[in-house]
Amino acid sequence: MKWEHFKSVDGKVKTGDKYAIQPRGCTVTWLCGLCRIEDGYPVFVVLTNEPTAELSKIHDRMPLMLPKDMIDA
């Protein structure tokens, strides 16, 4: 899920609609990230990159998605 971000007339960044984003024709989306265990708990981040032209309308970045043929690598 991703929240739309936009600047209101007063210049502040606001949140708008919520979107479910995944590649066309896929039921599972694999995201690239980094993970480590800290004090016994997993700590992780999702890597991001520039959005596609289509997604740039709702946010200034998007998750880095792992192509299906790279999952086993």
Side-chain angles (χ1 to χ4, degrees), residues 8-60:
S8 62
V9 291
D10 63 3
K12 293 182 180 179
V13 176
K14 304 277 183 170
T15 2
D17 295 328
K18 184 165 70 169
Y19 293 87
I21 300 170
Q22 66 186 61
R24 284 187 182 92
C26 293
T27 56
V28 175
T29 303
W30 295 88
L31 302 181
C32 298
L34 302 171
C35 178
R36 72 173 187 249
I37 303 299
E38 192 172 289
D39 297 326
Y41 295 97
V43 178
F44 62 92
V45 296
V46 174
L47 300 177
T48 62
N49 61 356
E50 296 292 319
T52 61
E54 187 176 53
L55 292 180
S56 68
K57 297 172 186 163
I58 61 171
H59 208 280
D60 63 346

